[in-house]
Amino acid sequence: MTPDAHDLPDHPDFLWRNADPKKSYDVVIVGGGGHGLATAYYLAKNHGITNIAVLEKGWLAGGNMARNTTIIRSNYLWDESSGIYESSLKLWETLEQDLDYPILFSQRGVLNLAHNLQDVRDSKRRVYANQLNGIDAEWLEPDEVAKVCPIVNTSPDVRYPVHGATYQPRAGIAKHDYVAWGFARRCDAYGIDLIQNCEVTGIDVSGGRVTGVRTTRGRIAAGKVALAAAGHTSVLAQMVGLRLPLQSHPLQALVSELLEPVHPTVVMSNAVHVYVSQAHKGELVMGAGIDSYNGYGQRGAFHIIERQMAAALELFPVFARAHMLRTWGGIVDTTPDASPIVGLTPVEDLYLNCGWGTGGFKATPGVGWAYAHTIATGEPHDTNAPFTLDRFTTGALVDEHGAAAVAH
């Protein structure tokens, strides 16, 4: 029987207004991805600042927010990193209720595999460091790895045998587009203008302080300007003569066809360069290492996919007959110490949030909270205080190459 048109569900309303830019704002945030939206939300919620514009040159959350593998964890090595990533994980655990919007946060745990004795030593060191910081972390022997994820090949006779793994049970994944929509909806409810198709072409500075931005939709005056445009932040900073220690690389990922539930957790391997989880709909989501060249091309390359699939089959022979559905390339902005830059700049009232490499998605609520505090008060929050720009001149680096992610 053909259903009557009145029986069909209504098309949902838009979640936010498609605002036109006003002449001035208290705060202009450049970059409408997860970090920009979260920052605007916490500026309004925590600090009562609502005269805000979030400018996005494309469409909201169309950059790295839509081009990642959605992994959330806080098992980093150093105290500074534990501070910001664990604060974020705690926010993830209540974010769905806070935003009053489903984000499909699934705490299914993350395994980081060790394939040689040096991996084992480094991994155990990280577990002990995590435990000292109050982060849930365990060391698992190969038989225990097999209990957590039975489809991992733990045979001792393979090319990269599994000698064990770190395991963080509270880690997991979330639905990236739902996260962006949830933040955008709440920002709109606070009256924040989310302005799409608005590219920043210049930043105005007078007397050493920022006064506004020039855009493809006209000049916008601003009391404060906060950059949150991932790799393109270095391009924006150059507009005020600020050279950032960033290199931007394409990072590829892919999804398979839909499969029955078979992969119960997230598995990462630095040695064979692949990380795999199963999305809520059933696709396998696989990430690779970064491409060696610099660039902003959001494209894939066949030789990377070939290596990625070979690595995946090394760990998961059960996937040999699975078909690849699609691939994509995100852009990771990397720093010399594989840690982000979040805080003040030499230009008064101009703020930086960049250099997250592969850590950006998992940090979304935590850095939004800390960045909003920094913008509102003019002082860094405790969690982002170590991630200053001047650490590259003072030498106070936070070297997270070992725990940052795969090939970072």
Side-chain angles (χ1 to χ4, degrees):
M1 182 176 65
T2 303
D4 187 274
H6 297 292
D7 296 332
L8 296 175
D10 292 333
H11 191 283
D13 293 333
F14 285 104
L15 296 177
W16 59 84
R17 294 167 294 119
N18 192 21
D20 291 321
K22 296 189 297 189
K23 291 185 177 179
S24 69
Y25 292 91
D26 294 336
V27 179
V28 167
I29 298 171
V30 185
H35 287 201
L37 294 170
T39 301
Y41 170 61
Y42 289 119
L43 273 169
K45 180 186 178 187
N46 295 351
H47 304 281
I49 300 172
T50 57
N51 186 23
I52 302 170
V54 180
L55 309 184
E56 169 56 47
K57 73 174 183 179
W59 64 91
L60 286 183
N64 283 355
M65 193 65 174
R67 297 172 178 276
N68 67 83
T69 50
T70 76
I71 297 171
I72 296 165
R73 61 188 175 93
S74 64
N75 58 346
Y76 284 70
L77 176 63
W78 298 108
D79 296 349
E80 297 89 342
S81 304
S82 295
I84 198 162
Y85 286 109
E86 177 62 14
S87 70
S88 192
L89 180 49
K90 289 177 178 174
L91 289 172
W92 279 113
E93 290 175 319
T94 57
L95 192 60
E96 188 162 301
Q97 294 82 2
D98 187 24
L99 298 179
D100 190 24
Y101 196 82
I103 61 170
L104 304 186
F105 180 47
S106 169
Q107 290 180 285
R108 59 184 64 182
V110 168
L111 288 167
N112 290 85
L113 303 181
H115 295 282
N116 55 56
L117 293 181
Q118 187 60 46
D119 276 354
V120 172
R121 286 189 284 266
D122 291 342
S123 299
K124 288 185 176 180
R125 180 191 182 200
R126 181 143 59 102
V127 166
Y128 300 145
N130 290 161
Q131 292 173 348
L132 287 172
N133 279 313
I135 293 171
D136 57 318
E138 307 169 26
W139 169 255
L140 303 184
E141 299 295 335
D143 61 325
E144 296 171 306
V145 172
K147 291 178 182 175
V148 173
C149 190
I151 59 173
V152 173
N153 185 3
T154 55
S155 168
D157 301 323
V158 296
R159 184 180 182 190
Y160 298 103
V162 175
H163 287 258
T166 67
Y167 183 52
Q168 185 180 18
R170 290 169 54 242
I173 62 172
K175 191 80 166 60
H176 55 89
D177 45 355
Y178 287 19
V179 175
W181 298 346
F183 275 118
R185 175 174 167 269
R186 294 289 282 172
C187 286
D188 185 71
Y190 277 116
I192 295 167
D193 285 348
L194 308 176
I195 303 169
Q196 304 178 88
N197 301 308
C198 183
E199 182 175 1
V200 171
T201 57
I203 300 174
D204 293 334
V205 176
S206 178
R209 69 172 297 273
V210 73
T211 59
V213 294
R214 281 166 277 150
T215 80
T216 52
R217 299 181 67 176
R219 185 182 186 278
I220 302 172
K224 299 182 178 184
V225 174
L227 307 182
H232 285 84
T233 298
S234 56
V235 178
L236 293 163
Q238 283 185 340
M239 295 176 181
V240 295
L242 191 59
R243 185 179 178 191
L244 301 180
L246 292 180
Q247 293 196 47
S248 298
H249 300 263
L251 173 63
Q252 296 185 54
L254 62 87
V255 296
S256 74
E257 60 186 332
L258 305 183
L259 303 172
E260 293 293 323
V262 65
H263 193 336
T265 185
V266 181
V267 175
M268 306 180 67
S269 170
N270 286 21
V272 300
H273 277 190
V274 73
Y275 35 107
V276 185
S277 64
Q278 188 166 16
H280 297 83
K281 289 192 297 183
E283 310 104 314
L284 298 171
V285 182
M286 302 185 192
I290 61 173
D291 288 6
S292 57
Y293 57 86
N294 299 118
Y296 290 112
Q298 294 174 325
R299 298 182 297 272
F302 186 77
H303 68 286
I304 296 289
I305 297 169
E306 190 174 32
R307 287 204 297 266
Q308 185 180 2
M309 295 302 293
L313 293 183
E314 182 82 23
L315 296 177
F316 303 99
V318 69
F319 296 149
R321 294 182 181 275
H323 294 92
M324 187 177 71
L325 191 66
R326 61 185 174 88
T327 71
W328 66 90
I331 305 301
V332 292
D333 48 329
T334 62
T335 61
D337 63 353
S339 289
I341 304 169
V342 185
L344 313 179
T345 74
V347 179
E348 188 177 356
D349 293 330
L350 178 67
Y351 301 90
L352 276 179
N353 173 13
C354 57
W356 286 91
T358 54
F361 179 72
K362 61 182 67 67
T364 297
V367 70
W369 184 291
Y371 201 31
H373 172 95
T374 303
I375 296 163
T377 66
E379 299 289 336
H381 188 271
D382 288 346
T383 56
N384 69 290
F387 301 105
T388 61
L389 178 61
D390 65 3
R391 74 178 189 271
F392 298 101
T393 54
T394 65
L397 303 178
V398 186
D399 186 359
E400 281 291 357
H401 282 96
V406 180
H408 187 278

